[in-house]
Each structure stands twice: as structure tokens, then as C-alpha cells.
Amino acid sequence: SVMVEHAIEALHCQPGAAIVVGDGLDTDIVFGTRTGMTTVLVLSGRTSRADLGDGAPSPDHVVGAIGDVIDLW
């Protein structure tokens, strides 16, 4: 997408070195997956653990709160 192209150009990185963090499987995680970025689903928003599986997009990582993202790296 154009947004990704501008972001990776500004940050001087490749999509695989970027991370999309969000609370929506059908928006944030789909966007990150389609653009080749690492995806992190935060369960503190509109998605719950029960929403995972059964054909839903698969995030690379799942965390309970935004503050937990830093523990992944």
C-alpha cells in the first residue's frame, strides 16, 4: 500500500523489519500480513482470544495489553 511505501521509505527499513500493532484482526492484522510486516494483536481492544482461529487472520504475536509489546523484543 502507499502508506507502507511512504513509511518504510521515511524509516529506511524493509516491511519485514517493521511491526504493525493493533486490536483488529480484520483491519490491523490483515493490513500487516498483506504488507509483509510482523503483526502484534493486542487483546485490550475489540478482539478477544475467542476470536482467534477458525479462519481468522493469524497474528505473529498476541499480547494482553499494549505495554506487553516491549516484552516481545
Side-chain angles (χ1 to χ4, degrees), residues 3-4 15 17-33 35 37-47 59-73:
M3 185 168 71
V4 172
I19 303 165
V20 172
V21 178
D23 65 353
L25 283 173
D26 60 339
T27 54
D28 307 313
I29 303 307
V30 167
F31 171 77
T33 301
T35 56
M37 296 184 185
T38 298
T39 56
V40 180
L41 177 67
V42 180
L43 297 177
S44 61
R46 61 188 180 100
T47 302
D60 295 305
H61 304 279
V62 179
V63 296
I66 191 71
D68 298 332
V69 173
I70 198 159
D71 295 333
L72 296 173
W73 288 273

